[in-house]
């Protein structure tokens, strides 16, 4: 799943990497070039929650390879059409493919990793590596043969579709083996067991019905149902036992009767919007900005974009490890605070010295990336597909909308002046996170709880 994610997110990174070539070969303005990035992100981000809602109701494993191919086809066709409207259209189609992929893949990846934030970190790492590879891939193909060679950019999609098929088959086989084991255990118990725990694919656990009417965990009539796992399965409700008392509630982790925490989810989404504006603005214009500041040509811009994306790969892994020690919300807050001076360095520091600040900005933007996903899922445990669609999709659309505004301001003034407002957005995001609390999300199968040691229960 991680490798398949890389093959899909190549096409998110490729759109920004193509901007300098559209500026050079087609003489687009900054605003027109950023409009291409908007085409990739806006429609994609708007429809992604819709795909999330669908995956909340049905399993759609076939969507993974299909969406991967659609995402690749749009970018592959972007360079062969000289029409600006047609270019926008095929890029938008690519964005829809990417949107269709992420909610279902997040659900499947969480099931494959049994709900740990570390496993989601590795899944997110794959996407970040795809981002990082995008400018190198575009430079190798389009930088060598021009935009007319863009069909070669479709090759990762073919590989990614095959990886998605292999992953879903492996997960299905594992699920079948686990069901066989549970069935054998039930036969050995002779019908005297309790409720089974929720499956790791999001189904609800059954109600415990022992031979004497007892819940599985309690012999005095107070037995709790099996606890739901982190990835969406809610625990079954314990039946009353021989003393006639009511059974315990199902698993915790936001599933203990408190319901979905929309207020916390909304504040988290506001912070992600601020992060998105910074990321989209820099990824769209940093290649051109660095080329102007250093005078080193297209290679300098490609290297800067590579650093921006590659630093994210390291940050995602670090985020998962730090969250296990300090808690997710604390790590996310620190990351937003650290991003403020890092972005300031990118915009204000002269010459080649801005490269270290690009790396620091990348880490600050990406350390909380996978934590956003699991926090959103745990704030909305009953709507995990919707939560994934918003955190991975809808909030990104605001960043895409900001891109043309930055481009128009750059056309009217200078690119440096247009990028300066990005310095304040991480600080605004930090304000959204103020007072935010960890959701309750117990681990399963010996996994470390995504809430970390400082979680409030």
């Amino acid at each position: 799943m991680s490798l398949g994610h890389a093959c899909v997110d190549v096409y998110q990174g490729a759109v920004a990497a193509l901007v300098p070539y559209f500026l050079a070969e087609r003489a687009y303005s900054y605003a027109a070039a950023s409009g291409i990035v908007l085409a990739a992100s806006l429609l994609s981000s708007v429809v992604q929650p819709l795909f999330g809602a669908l995956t909340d109701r049905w399993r759609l494993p076939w969507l993974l390879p299909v969406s991967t191919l659609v995402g690749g086809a749009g970018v592959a066709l972007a360079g062969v059409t000289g029409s600006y409207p047609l270019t926008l259209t095929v890029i938008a189609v690519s964005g829809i493919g990417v949107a269709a992929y992420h909610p279902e893949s997040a659900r499947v990846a969480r099931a494959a990793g049994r709900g740990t934030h570390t496993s989601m970190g590795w899944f997110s790492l794959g996407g970040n590596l795809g981002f990082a590879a995008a400018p190198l891939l575009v430079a190798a193909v389009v930088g060598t043969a021009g935009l007319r060679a863009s069909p070669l950019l479709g090759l990762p999609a073919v590989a990614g579709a095959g990886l998605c098929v292999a992953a879903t088959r492996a997960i299905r086989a594992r699920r079948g083996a686990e069901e066989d084991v549970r069935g054998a255990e039930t036969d050995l118990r002779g019908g005297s067991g309790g409720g089974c725990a929720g499956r790791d694919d999001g189904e609800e656990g059954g109600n415990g019905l022992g031979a004497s009417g007892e819940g599985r965990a309690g012999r005095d009539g107070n037995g709790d149902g099996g606890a739901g796992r982190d990835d969406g399965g809610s625990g079954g409700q314990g039946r009353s036992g021989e003393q006639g008392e009511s059974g315990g509630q199902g698993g915790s982790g936001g599933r203990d009767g408190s319901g979905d925490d929309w207020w916390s989810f909304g504040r988290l989404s506001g912070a992600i919007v601020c992060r998105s504006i910074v990321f989209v603005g820099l990824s769209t214009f940093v290649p051109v900005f660095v080329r102007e500041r250093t005078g080193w040509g297209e290679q300098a811009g490609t290297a800067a974009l590579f650093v921006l994306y590659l630093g994210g790969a390291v940050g995602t892994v670090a985020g998962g490890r730090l969250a296990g020690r300090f808690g997710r919300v604390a790590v996310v807050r620190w990351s937003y605070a650290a991003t403020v001076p890092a972005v300031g360095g990118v915009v204000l520091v002269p010459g080649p010295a801005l490269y270290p600040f690009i790396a620091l900005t990348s880490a600050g933007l990406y350390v909380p990336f996978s934590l956003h996903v699991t926090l959103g899922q745990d704030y909305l445990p009953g709507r995990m597909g919707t939560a994934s669609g918003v955190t991975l999709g809808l909030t990104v659309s605001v960043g895409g909308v900001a891109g043309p505004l930055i481009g128009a301001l750059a056309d009217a003034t200078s690119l440096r002046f247009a990028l300066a407002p990005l310095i304040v957005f991480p600080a605004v995001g930090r304000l959204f996170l103020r007072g935010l609390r960890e959701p309750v999300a117990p681990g399963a199968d010996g996994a470390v709880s995504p809430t970390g040691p400082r979680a409030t229960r």
Side-chain angles (χ1 to χ4, degrees):
M1 288 300 300
S2 182
L3 291 173
H5 195 190
C7 292
V8 172
D9 278 4
V10 156
Y11 299 109
Q12 294 196 77
V15 176
L18 286 169
V19 166
Y21 300 99
F22 284 126
L23 291 171
E25 293 192 28
R26 299 183 183 177
Y28 289 163
S29 66
Y30 287 134
S34 60
I36 296 175
V37 178
L38 174 62
S41 63
L42 180 60
L43 188 58
S44 168
S45 301
V46 170
V47 302
Q48 190 155 306
L50 301 179
F51 286 108
L54 290 175
T55 60
D56 280 337
R57 301 191 62 179
W58 300 288
R59 298 179 191 163
L60 303 172
W62 57 267
L63 191 59
L64 299 182
V66 171
S67 60
T68 301
L69 292 173
V70 172
V75 169
L77 295 173
V80 297
T81 171
S83 167
Y84 185 73
L86 285 178
T87 301
L88 293 179
T89 300
V90 296
I91 289 293
V93 169
S94 174
I96 293 174
V98 172
Y101 171 85
H102 279 97
E104 176 68 5
S105 67
R107 183 192 67 80
V108 174
R110 186 153 183 169
R114 299 187 183 277
T116 68
H117 62 261
T118 301
S119 65
M120 287 302 293
W122 285 108
F123 174 68
S124 298
L125 173 63
N128 295 333
L129 290 176
F131 260 108
L136 302 180
L137 178 65
V138 170
V141 174
V142 180
T144 301
L147 287 172
R148 66 181 182 274
S150 65
L152 293 175
L153 298 176
L155 294 177
V158 178
L163 289 166
C164 289
V165 171
T168 53
R169 286 180 177 176
I171 293 171
R172 190 184 307 116
R174 189 188 73 183
R175 184 167 61 240
E178 291 174 347
E179 289 175 350
D180 291 341
V181 171
R182 284 195 294 266
E185 290 176 348
T186 300
D187 291 340
L188 291 174
R189 288 196 302 265
S192 62
C196 62
R199 291 182 184 175
D200 56 3
D201 56 5
E203 296 183 2
E204 295 183 350
N207 291 323
L209 285 172
S212 60
E214 296 173 341
R216 180 173 184 176
R219 296 297 181 183
D220 60 354
N222 296 321
D224 291 336
R229 300 190 182 185
D230 304 343
D231 55 349
S234 60
Q237 187 178 32
R239 297 286 185 170
S240 61
E242 55 193 38
Q243 294 181 9
E245 299 181 19
S246 60
Q249 291 179 340
S252 59
R255 304 166 183 82
D256 56 357
S258 61
D260 296 329
D261 187 353
W262 286 99
W263 174 245
S264 296
F265 182 77
R267 292 167 64 191
L268 176 67
S269 298
I272 299 174
V273 165
C274 295
R275 184 255 184 205
S276 172
I277 292 173
V278 177
F279 180 76
V280 174
L282 290 180
S283 62
T284 301
F285 294 110
V286 78
V288 182
F289 182 66
V290 170
R291 184 185 64 191
E292 291 180 356
R293 298 293 299 279
T294 63
W296 291 348
E298 298 290 348
Q299 293 80 7
T302 298
L305 193 59
F306 176 72
V307 170
L308 180 66
Y309 292 161
L310 184 63
V314 177
T316 299
V317 176
R321 294 185 179 277
L322 289 171
R325 181 174 182 180
F326 300 106
R328 289 175 294 179
V329 172
V331 173
V332 172
R333 287 176 184 152
W334 297 340
S335 300
Y336 276 70
T339 304
V340 176
V343 176
V346 173
V347 177
L348 303 176
V349 171
L354 57 80
Y355 279 98
F357 287 98
I358 293 174
L360 291 174
T361 298
S362 179
L365 293 173
Y366 272 108
V367 161
F369 185 77
S370 65
L371 307 182
H372 288 153
V373 179
T374 57
L375 280 170
Q377 290 173 335
D378 289 336
Y379 284 133
L380 300 183
R383 296 173 175 84
M384 297 182 69
T386 301
S388 299
V390 173
T391 55
L392 291 171
L394 184 60
T395 52
V396 178
S397 65
V398 177
V401 171
L405 299 178
I406 296 172
L409 183 60
D411 287 328
T413 57
S414 69
L415 190 53
R416 184 179 184 181
F417 183 85
L419 292 177
L422 299 181
I423 300 172
V424 304
F425 279 99
V428 176
R430 175 63 179 81
L431 291 177
F432 275 109
L433 298 169
R434 184 177 182 181
L436 200 66
R437 299 181 66 184
E438 291 274 5
V440 180
D445 288 348
V448 177
S449 169
T451 59
R454 295 189 180 181
T456 301
R457 294 186 182 277

